[in-house]
Structures are given as structure tokens and as C-alpha cells.
Amino acid sequence: MPQNQKPTVVITGASSGVGLQAARALAQRGWYVVMACRDMTKAENAAQSVGMSLGTYAVMHLDLASLDSVRDFVSKFRANGRSLDALVCNAAVYFPLLKEPQRSVDGYELSVATNHLGHFLLCNLMLEDMKKSSLKEPRMVILGTVTANPKELGGKIPIPAPPDLGDLSGMEAGFKEPVTMIDGKQFKSGKAYKDSKLCNVLTMLELHRRYHDSTGITFSSLYPGCVATTALFRNHFPLFRTIFPIFQKNITGGFVSEEVAGDRVADLVTEPEFSKSGAYWSWGNRQKEGRQAFEQELSDEATDVSKAKKLWDLSASLVGLA
Ligand code: NAP
């Protein structure tokens, strides 16, 4: 990296919620933030709304629900000549009320396409850029969630079902119409989200196994806490959106602000205590002042090495990397 150049981080879905606050935090810590977003005007306005100064960030177009868009983003990023020192895979969609699946432009169920397949391609392509980073320890961070981890209470909730990739027969069958779920079973929109987030953690661990020793890149995931105010819940019942933050603040005590969640993501990018590769970090389900991070135990499925390898091979084939 040229001496006067700041380290560069790409953050997907930085136009709202946790990603926006992570962008704000990293810009404040002296990083140059590339906000990789599908709505560039919204992202630009969002950056200004949290006080990001001109010169600390750039907005670039990325639609994770289009594999062509992912490839196009990577080409344009390379053309700007910046090093890549960290990648944060944060963007996600959640459609809890859908009865029939929506599809990405490539024909895949939309939540798995956006949250997993788009990021899977992005990580694989940008790995080559990160290998050239002059930082001693470049980092790749992928957002997880409690509802995708049955080792925790939040991951056991059977509504509509816990995460379960089964034998991945849906992916093996090509994951296009009429297939709707990774396990090849009946479409359940909320489960599709949980499955996609389980894929995020399986991918992080497989990246760690394949590439940490040879590249020195730190691969990690986190559950940032229950950030009940974000637009992630925009497709839920309006009443749910009103009650959920109140419930989390006053009943479970699990509520975390978007700012705190963004700071946590930024910590995984910059702080020495998060330098362990292959780790999944959490601050727990009850949020107390000054709460310390700890390594959260993951479910048997998330740590299943043969399932991770199968998911990797099938995902590579679906995104055209095989
Ligand atoms: P959010 O405010 O809805 O942010 C999601 C971001 O993803 C938005 O910037 C959105 O862009 C972007 N996005 C959606 N589809 C995209 C696409 N096709 N291409 C590019 N970007 C796309 O939700 P959030 O709560 O901050 O979620 C951020 C991450 O935190 C997710 O990975 C989520 O799973 C994780 N997480 C959240 C919670 C929580 O309680 N909120 C808990 C655990 C984990 P637009 O602005 O254009 O819609």
C-alpha cells in the first residue's frame, strides 16, 4: 500500500442498518470505505446522514442478487487501483411472510441467492485482491445470526422451522424452478433466511480451512446482537416491527442499537483481539453495558466439514466458478 493510502474495506449493504454503522465506524477509524450497494443514491444519502466526510468513502454499485453484477463490481473495483485490506459481507434480505419464493435474475431463490450465493462469488473473486494486501493480517468478515445456530436458544425456534440444509439435494438439483429450498423440501420463507445465514457461517469456516494458512487472511463471523430497529424486518407485519424492538428492549434485554452493532463489525476488522481466524463471535443474548465478546459455540451442522465441502462445491457450480 502506498504510504499515504489508507487501508480499504469493502462493505456490502452499507446503505442502512448494521452495514451503514460499520461504514461510519471504519471511516472514523481511518479506513477508506467502499460502500457496495444496490441503490447508490440511497447509499450516498445514508453516508451523509451519519456524517461520513467526503474523501473517506466511495459508493459503488453491487446487486448481490445478480452474479453478473458481482463480477462487474469486482472488475470496477480493480480498475480503481486500490488495495483491498478487508471485506465485510453484511448485506441480506429477509422475507418472512412470502408464500411463494421470489427469484434472483439467475433464477435462484432470492434470499439464498442474495445472502449466500452472491457473497460466495464475491468472497472467491476478492480473495485474489486480498492476497495482495500489504496489511499483515487482512480480514474477511461474514455476518451470521443467532437464529441460524441451534446451539443457542434463538436458533431452536421452530417458527417456521430451524435451519437445516439436509442433504443439499435442492442445490444438487440446480436450485432453480421448481426447487425452492436447499434441502429440496417445501418452501418456508423464514427458514430460507436461516439456511442462507447458516451457509454464510459454513462458508466462513471453509474459507478458513482452505486459505488461512496460505494467505494469512483472518476469516471470521459474528452475531452482532438483536438489532430490532433495522430495515431487515421491513417485510414483516407492521405490528411486528412496532412490537419487536419494545419486546427486545424490555422483556428479553437482547436489544442492541445499530451504532453498537456497527462498532462490533468494525472491531472484527480492526481490533487485535479479533485476529483469530475461523472464529464466530458473539456478545450474548442479554446485552449489558460493556459486555465482552466471546467465541460462541456453533451447531453440529455449521461445523460439519463434509457438509461445508459439499456446499462449497455446489455453490461454486451455481455461481459459475467450478
Ligand atoms: P438492513 O438494514 O436491511 O440492511 C441490509 C442491507 O443489505 C441494506 O443495505 C440492503 O440494501 C442490502 N441489500 C439487500 N439486498 C441486496 C442486494 N441484492 N444487493 C446488495 N445489497 C443488498 O438489515 P441489517 O439488520 O442491518 O442486516 C445486516 C446484516 O446483519 C445481515 O447480514 C443480517 O443477517 C445481520 N443480522 C442482523 C440482525 C438484526 O437483528 N437486524 C441480527 C443478526 C444478524 P437496500 O438499502 O438497498 O435495501
Side-chain angles (χ1 to χ4, degrees):
M1 185 188 326
Q3 259 185 349
N4 59 355
Q5 192 170 306
K6 298 172 171 188
T8 301
V9 57
V10 167
I11 307 179
T12 68
S15 53
S16 76
V18 179
L20 173 61
Q21 292 297 335
R24 185 260 315 146
L26 285 162
Q28 283 171 349
R29 294 181 199 189
W31 282 63
Y32 185 79
V33 180
V34 174
M35 301 169 70
C37 297
R38 60 181 171 175
D39 182 336
M40 296 182 66
T41 308
K42 181 178 177 184
E44 187 59 55
N45 291 337
Q48 287 174 25
S49 75
V50 295
M52 290 171 69
S53 330
L54 289 179
T56 64
Y57 71 93
V59 176
M60 288 182 64
H61 185 260
L62 169 67
D63 180 357
L64 287 158
S66 158
L67 298 173
D68 280 349
S69 173
V70 175
R71 291 181 188 281
D72 191 48
F73 170 82
V74 174
S75 307
K76 292 200 170 110
F77 177 84
R78 286 175 183 163
N80 78 22
R82 282 198 162 266
S83 66
L84 180 65
D85 307 295
L87 171 63
V88 177
C89 295
N90 161 81
V93 286
Y94 173 47
F95 303 108
L97 305 180
L98 280 186
K99 298 283 173 246
E100 296 294 326
Q102 294 182 357
R103 299 272 167 189
S104 70
V105 293
D106 305 289
Y108 304 132
E109 188 282 316
L110 191 54
S111 42
V112 171
T114 307
N115 306 353
H116 168 56
L117 291 172
H119 279 135
F120 179 85
L121 178 59
L122 186 69
C123 290
N124 271 278
L125 297 176
M126 298 215 102
L127 197 58
E128 295 311 310
D129 304 272
M130 288 192 69
K131 283 179 190 168
K132 297 180 198 142
S133 166
S134 57
L135 277 196
K136 191 164 149 263
E137 192 187 79
R139 297 188 187 174
M140 199 183 275
V141 175
I142 308 181
L143 272 279
T145 190
V146 68
T147 56
N149 182 21
K151 272 274 150 78
E152 299 177 78
L153 190 61
K156 295 188 205 293
I157 298 169
I159 309 168
D164 179 9
L165 308 186
D167 58 2
L168 290 95
S169 55
M171 268 200 171
E172 213 154 19
F175 205 51
K176 289 189 178 169
E177 187 94 55
V179 177
T180 59
M181 298 291 285
I182 293 176
D183 62 8
K185 294 186 181 160
Q186 188 197 349
F187 181 61
K188 289 183 181 157
S189 54
K191 179 176 180 291
Y193 172 77
K194 294 179 193 179
D195 286 355
S196 72
K197 300 304 291 180
L198 171 60
C199 289
N200 286 156
V201 174
L202 280 158
T203 300
M204 179 279 288
L205 288 171
E206 188 63 14
L207 280 161
H208 164 71
R209 283 187 288 268
R210 286 177 187 236
Y211 298 112
H212 173 65
D213 285 348
S214 60
T215 64
I217 298 170
T218 291
F219 301 95
S220 59
S221 280
L222 74 158
Y223 168 54
C226 180
V227 204
T229 50
T230 73
L232 189 68
F233 305 100
R234 71 186 100 177
N235 299 305
H236 221 307
F237 296 115
L239 187 62
F240 176 90
R241 296 193 60 187
T242 308
I243 289 174
F244 189 46
I246 299 170
F247 179 75
Q248 292 294 346
K249 275 180 195 163
N250 301 307
I251 311 289
T252 68
F255 180 80
V256 174
S257 70
E258 295 175 27
E259 289 82 355
V260 167
D263 287 338
R264 288 175 175 177
V265 173
D267 286 348
L268 259 69
V269 173
T270 63
E271 296 308 302
E273 73 230 56
F274 297 103
S275 63
K276 181 174 174 188
S277 187
Y280 179 83
W281 299 98
S282 173
W283 286 256
N285 289 310
R286 290 187 171 274
Q287 301 293 325
K288 299 199 184 90
E289 198 69 25
R291 179 112 204 188
Q292 293 299 305
F294 59 91
E295 260 193 88
Q296 168 65 51
E297 189 184 7
L298 284 163
S299 67
D300 294 346
E301 192 173 14
T303 51
D304 180 335
V305 174
S306 61
K307 188 166 272 193
K309 186 179 180 317
K310 188 169 180 185
L311 175 68
W312 182 282
D313 291 344
L314 291 170
S315 302
S317 165
L318 293 182
V319 303
L321 281 175

Short mmCIF file of all heavy atoms in Angstrom, two decimals, residues 13-19 38-39 42 62-65 90-93 114 143-145 193 197 223-228 230-234, ligand 1:
data_model
loop_
_atom_site.label_atom_id
_atom_site.label_comp_id
_atom_site.label_asym_id
_atom_site.label_seq_id
_atom_site.Cartn_x
_atom_site.Cartn_y
_atom_site.Cartn_z
N GLY A 13 -24.01 -3.91 1.37
CA GLY A 13 -25.23 -3.48 2.07
C GLY A 13 -24.94 -2.42 3.11
O GLY A 13 -25.44 -2.48 4.24
N ALA A 14 -24.16 -1.41 2.71
CA ALA A 14 -23.79 -0.34 3.66
C ALA A 14 -24.77 0.83 3.59
O ALA A 14 -24.49 1.89 4.13
CB ALA A 14 -22.36 0.12 3.38
N SER A 15 -25.92 0.62 2.93
CA SER A 15 -26.86 1.74 2.79
C SER A 15 -27.84 1.84 3.95
O SER A 15 -28.64 2.77 3.99
CB SER A 15 -27.64 1.59 1.48
OG SER A 15 -28.22 0.31 1.40
N SER A 16 -27.80 0.89 4.88
CA SER A 16 -28.68 1.02 6.06
C SER A 16 -28.18 0.12 7.18
O SER A 16 -27.26 -0.68 7.00
CB SER A 16 -30.14 0.69 5.70
OG SER A 16 -30.32 -0.70 5.58
N GLY A 17 -28.80 0.29 8.35
CA GLY A 17 -28.62 -0.63 9.46
C GLY A 17 -27.19 -0.87 9.89
O GLY A 17 -26.38 0.06 10.02
N VAL A 18 -26.87 -2.13 10.14
CA VAL A 18 -25.56 -2.52 10.68
C VAL A 18 -24.44 -2.14 9.71
O VAL A 18 -23.38 -1.64 10.13
CB VAL A 18 -25.55 -4.05 10.93
CG1 VAL A 18 -24.21 -4.49 11.48
CG2 VAL A 18 -26.69 -4.46 11.87
N GLY A 19 -24.66 -2.37 8.41
CA GLY A 19 -23.62 -2.08 7.42
C GLY A 19 -23.29 -0.60 7.36
O GLY A 19 -22.11 -0.22 7.24
N ARG A 38 -26.81 -1.65 -3.72
CA ARG A 38 -27.63 -1.76 -4.94
C ARG A 38 -28.31 -0.44 -5.28
O ARG A 38 -28.72 -0.23 -6.41
CB ARG A 38 -28.66 -2.88 -4.79
CG ARG A 38 -29.63 -2.69 -3.64
CD ARG A 38 -30.62 -3.83 -3.54
NE ARG A 38 -31.40 -3.74 -2.32
CZ ARG A 38 -32.40 -4.54 -2.01
NH1 ARG A 38 -32.73 -5.51 -2.83
NH2 ARG A 38 -33.05 -4.40 -0.88
N ASP A 39 -28.50 0.43 -4.30
CA ASP A 39 -29.15 1.73 -4.54
C ASP A 39 -28.14 2.82 -4.17
O ASP A 39 -27.96 3.16 -2.99
CB ASP A 39 -30.43 1.83 -3.69
CG ASP A 39 -31.19 3.13 -3.93
OD1 ASP A 39 -30.57 4.12 -4.36
OD2 ASP A 39 -32.41 3.15 -3.67
N LYS A 42 -29.45 6.09 -2.41
CA LYS A 42 -29.77 5.81 -1.01
C LYS A 42 -28.48 5.70 -0.18
O LYS A 42 -28.39 6.25 0.93
CB LYS A 42 -30.56 4.50 -0.92
CG LYS A 42 -30.96 4.13 0.49
CD LYS A 42 -31.80 2.85 0.52
CE LYS A 42 -32.12 2.46 1.96
NZ LYS A 42 -32.84 1.19 2.05
N LEU A 62 -23.43 -2.59 -6.45
CA LEU A 62 -23.36 -4.05 -6.34
C LEU A 62 -24.75 -4.58 -6.04
O LEU A 62 -25.36 -4.23 -5.02
CB LEU A 62 -22.42 -4.46 -5.19
CG LEU A 62 -22.46 -5.95 -4.81
CD1 LEU A 62 -21.92 -6.84 -5.93
CD2 LEU A 62 -21.66 -6.21 -3.53
N ASP A 63 -25.26 -5.43 -6.92
CA ASP A 63 -26.52 -6.13 -6.63
C ASP A 63 -26.17 -7.60 -6.45
O ASP A 63 -25.86 -8.31 -7.42
CB ASP A 63 -27.52 -5.95 -7.79
CG ASP A 63 -28.83 -6.68 -7.51
OD1 ASP A 63 -28.94 -7.35 -6.46
OD2 ASP A 63 -29.75 -6.57 -8.34
N LEU A 64 -26.23 -8.06 -5.21
CA LEU A 64 -25.83 -9.44 -4.91
C LEU A 64 -26.78 -10.46 -5.49
O LEU A 64 -26.44 -11.65 -5.56
CB LEU A 64 -25.73 -9.62 -3.39
CG LEU A 64 -24.51 -8.95 -2.77
CD1 LEU A 64 -24.74 -8.69 -1.29
CD2 LEU A 64 -23.25 -9.79 -2.97
N ALA A 65 -27.97 -10.01 -5.90
CA ALA A 65 -28.93 -10.94 -6.50
C ALA A 65 -28.70 -11.11 -8.00
O ALA A 65 -29.56 -11.63 -8.71
CB ALA A 65 -30.35 -10.46 -6.23
N ASN A 90 -22.06 -8.18 4.56
CA ASN A 90 -23.10 -7.77 5.51
C ASN A 90 -24.51 -7.79 4.93
O ASN A 90 -25.47 -8.05 5.64
CB ASN A 90 -22.76 -6.35 6.01
CG ASN A 90 -23.95 -5.66 6.62
OD1 ASN A 90 -24.29 -5.89 7.79
ND2 ASN A 90 -24.63 -4.81 5.84
N ALA A 91 -24.65 -7.52 3.65
CA ALA A 91 -25.99 -7.35 3.06
C ALA A 91 -26.84 -8.61 3.26
O ALA A 91 -26.33 -9.72 3.28
CB ALA A 91 -25.88 -7.05 1.57
N ALA A 92 -28.13 -8.39 3.40
CA ALA A 92 -29.05 -9.54 3.50
C ALA A 92 -30.47 -9.10 3.24
O ALA A 92 -30.81 -7.92 3.42
CB ALA A 92 -28.97 -10.18 4.89
N VAL A 93 -31.29 -10.05 2.82
CA VAL A 93 -32.74 -9.84 2.72
C VAL A 93 -33.43 -10.93 3.54
O VAL A 93 -32.90 -12.03 3.71
CB VAL A 93 -33.25 -9.87 1.26
CG1 VAL A 93 -32.87 -8.59 0.52
CG2 VAL A 93 -32.76 -11.11 0.53
N THR A 114 -29.12 -13.95 -2.61
CA THR A 114 -28.53 -12.68 -2.16
C THR A 114 -27.56 -12.91 -1.01
O THR A 114 -26.41 -12.46 -1.05
CB THR A 114 -29.66 -11.74 -1.66
OG1 THR A 114 -30.65 -11.62 -2.68
CG2 THR A 114 -29.11 -10.37 -1.30
N LEU A 143 -21.35 -11.78 8.17
CA LEU A 143 -22.34 -11.67 9.24
C LEU A 143 -23.11 -12.98 9.41
O LEU A 143 -23.62 -13.53 8.43
CB LEU A 143 -23.33 -10.54 8.92
CG LEU A 143 -22.99 -9.11 9.37
CD1 LEU A 143 -23.34 -8.90 10.84
CD2 LEU A 143 -21.58 -8.68 9.07
N GLY A 144 -23.23 -13.44 10.64
CA GLY A 144 -24.07 -14.59 10.95
C GLY A 144 -25.29 -14.11 11.72
O GLY A 144 -25.55 -12.92 11.83
N THR A 145 -26.02 -15.07 12.29
CA THR A 145 -27.13 -14.67 13.17
C THR A 145 -27.49 -15.79 14.13
O THR A 145 -27.23 -16.97 13.85
CB THR A 145 -28.38 -14.24 12.39
OG1 THR A 145 -29.30 -13.67 13.32
CG2 THR A 145 -29.05 -15.40 11.68
N TYR A 193 -34.19 -17.90 4.98
CA TYR A 193 -33.26 -16.91 5.55
C TYR A 193 -32.27 -17.59 6.50
O TYR A 193 -31.06 -17.40 6.39
CB TYR A 193 -34.04 -15.81 6.28
CG TYR A 193 -33.16 -14.86 7.06
CD1 TYR A 193 -32.44 -13.85 6.42
CD2 TYR A 193 -33.03 -14.99 8.45
CE1 TYR A 193 -31.62 -12.98 7.15
CE2 TYR A 193 -32.22 -14.12 9.17
CZ TYR A 193 -31.51 -13.12 8.53
OH TYR A 193 -30.70 -12.27 9.25
N LYS A 197 -28.13 -17.92 6.19
CA LYS A 197 -27.17 -17.45 7.19
C LYS A 197 -26.30 -18.60 7.70
O LYS A 197 -25.14 -18.41 8.04
CB LYS A 197 -27.89 -16.76 8.36
CG LYS A 197 -28.72 -15.53 7.98
CD LYS A 197 -27.94 -14.45 7.26
CE LYS A 197 -26.92 -13.75 8.11
NZ LYS A 197 -26.19 -12.70 7.33
N TYR A 223 -22.35 -12.71 15.47
CA TYR A 223 -23.75 -12.34 15.72
C TYR A 223 -23.69 -10.99 16.41
O TYR A 223 -23.22 -10.89 17.55
CB TYR A 223 -24.43 -13.39 16.62
CG TYR A 223 -25.77 -12.91 17.13
CD1 TYR A 223 -26.75 -12.45 16.25
CD2 TYR A 223 -26.07 -12.90 18.49
CE1 TYR A 223 -27.98 -12.00 16.72
CE2 TYR A 223 -27.29 -12.46 18.97
CZ TYR A 223 -28.24 -12.00 18.08
OH TYR A 223 -29.45 -11.54 18.53
N PRO A 224 -24.12 -9.91 15.72
CA PRO A 224 -23.91 -8.58 16.29
C PRO A 224 -24.86 -8.23 17.42
O PRO A 224 -24.72 -7.20 18.05
CB PRO A 224 -24.15 -7.65 15.09
CG PRO A 224 -25.12 -8.39 14.22
CD PRO A 224 -24.80 -9.85 14.40
N GLY A 225 -25.83 -9.11 17.71
CA GLY A 225 -26.88 -8.82 18.70
C GLY A 225 -28.19 -8.60 17.96
O GLY A 225 -28.22 -8.56 16.72
N CYS A 226 -29.26 -8.49 18.71
CA CYS A 226 -30.57 -8.28 18.09
C CYS A 226 -30.77 -6.80 17.80
O CYS A 226 -31.01 -6.01 18.72
CB CYS A 226 -31.68 -8.81 19.00
SG CYS A 226 -33.27 -8.56 18.21
N VAL A 227 -30.65 -6.45 16.52
CA VAL A 227 -30.73 -5.03 16.12
C VAL A 227 -32.14 -4.82 15.57
O VAL A 227 -32.37 -4.74 14.36
CB VAL A 227 -29.65 -4.72 15.07
CG1 VAL A 227 -29.31 -3.23 15.09
CG2 VAL A 227 -28.39 -5.54 15.28
N ALA A 228 -33.09 -4.75 16.51
CA ALA A 228 -34.50 -4.92 16.14
C ALA A 228 -35.09 -3.75 15.36
O ALA A 228 -36.23 -3.84 14.90
CB ALA A 228 -35.32 -5.16 17.41
N THR A 230 -33.74 -2.36 12.52
CA THR A 230 -33.25 -2.18 11.15
C THR A 230 -34.31 -2.53 10.10
O THR A 230 -35.32 -3.18 10.39
CB THR A 230 -32.00 -3.04 10.84
OG1 THR A 230 -32.41 -4.41 10.73
CG2 THR A 230 -30.91 -2.88 11.87
N ALA A 231 -33.98 -2.14 8.86
CA ALA A 231 -34.87 -2.40 7.73
C ALA A 231 -34.93 -3.88 7.36
O ALA A 231 -35.70 -4.27 6.49
CB ALA A 231 -34.40 -1.58 6.53
N LEU A 232 -34.12 -4.71 8.02
CA LEU A 232 -34.18 -6.15 7.75
C LEU A 232 -35.60 -6.69 7.95
O LEU A 232 -36.01 -7.63 7.28
CB LEU A 232 -33.21 -6.90 8.69
CG LEU A 232 -32.99 -8.37 8.39
CD1 LEU A 232 -32.24 -8.55 7.07
CD2 LEU A 232 -32.22 -9.06 9.51
N PHE A 233 -36.33 -6.04 8.85
CA PHE A 233 -37.68 -6.52 9.18
C PHE A 233 -38.75 -5.80 8.37
O PHE A 233 -39.93 -5.84 8.71
CB PHE A 233 -37.91 -6.37 10.70
CG PHE A 233 -36.83 -7.05 11.50
CD1 PHE A 233 -35.79 -6.33 12.05
CD2 PHE A 233 -36.83 -8.43 11.64
CE1 PHE A 233 -34.75 -6.96 12.75
CE2 PHE A 233 -35.80 -9.07 12.34
CZ PHE A 233 -34.77 -8.33 12.89
N ARG A 234 -38.34 -5.14 7.29
CA ARG A 234 -39.29 -4.31 6.51
C ARG A 234 -40.40 -5.13 5.88
O ARG A 234 -41.45 -4.61 5.58
CB ARG A 234 -38.54 -3.51 5.43
CG ARG A 234 -38.02 -4.35 4.29
CD ARG A 234 -37.18 -3.53 3.33
NE ARG A 234 -35.76 -3.73 3.58
CZ ARG A 234 -34.79 -3.20 2.88
NH1 ARG A 234 -35.07 -2.40 1.89
NH2 ARG A 234 -33.53 -3.46 3.16
P1 NAP B 1 -30.79 -3.86 6.73
O1 NAP B 1 -30.80 -2.56 7.43
O2 NAP B 1 -31.99 -4.27 5.96
O3 NAP B 1 -29.51 -3.89 5.79
C1 NAP B 1 -29.38 -4.82 4.76
C2 NAP B 1 -28.55 -4.22 3.66
O4 NAP B 1 -28.44 -5.20 2.62
C3 NAP B 1 -29.17 -2.97 3.04
O5 NAP B 1 -28.13 -2.05 2.80
C4 NAP B 1 -29.73 -3.51 1.74
O6 NAP B 1 -29.79 -2.54 0.69
C5 NAP B 1 -28.68 -4.54 1.40
N1 NAP B 1 -29.11 -5.45 0.34
C6 NAP B 1 -30.24 -6.18 0.28
N2 NAP B 1 -30.30 -6.84 -0.88
C7 NAP B 1 -29.19 -6.53 -1.57
C8 NAP B 1 -28.70 -6.87 -2.85
N3 NAP B 1 -29.37 -7.68 -3.67
N4 NAP B 1 -27.51 -6.37 -3.25
C9 NAP B 1 -26.83 -5.53 -2.44
N5 NAP B 1 -27.25 -5.14 -1.22
C10 NAP B 1 -28.43 -5.63 -0.80
O7 NAP B 1 -30.52 -5.06 7.75
P2 NAP B 1 -29.46 -5.25 8.95
O8 NAP B 1 -30.24 -5.69 10.11
O9 NAP B 1 -28.56 -4.09 9.05
O10 NAP B 1 -28.67 -6.52 8.43
C11 NAP B 1 -27.29 -6.51 8.18
C12 NAP B 1 -26.71 -7.88 8.48
O11 NAP B 1 -26.85 -8.15 9.87
C13 NAP B 1 -27.39 -9.03 7.76
O12 NAP B 1 -26.41 -9.93 7.30
C14 NAP B 1 -28.23 -9.69 8.83
O13 NAP B 1 -28.43 -11.06 8.57
C15 NAP B 1 -27.33 -9.47 10.04
N6 NAP B 1 -28.02 -9.55 11.30
C16 NAP B 1 -28.99 -8.65 11.63
C17 NAP B 1 -29.64 -8.79 12.86
C18 NAP B 1 -30.71 -7.85 13.27
O14 NAP B 1 -31.27 -8.04 14.36
N7 NAP B 1 -31.04 -6.80 12.48
C19 NAP B 1 -29.27 -9.82 13.74
C20 NAP B 1 -28.28 -10.71 13.35
C21 NAP B 1 -27.65 -10.57 12.15
P3 NAP B 1 -31.05 -1.54 0.50
O15 NAP B 1 -30.78 -0.42 1.46
O16 NAP B 1 -30.95 -1.15 -0.94
O17 NAP B 1 -32.27 -2.31 0.82
#
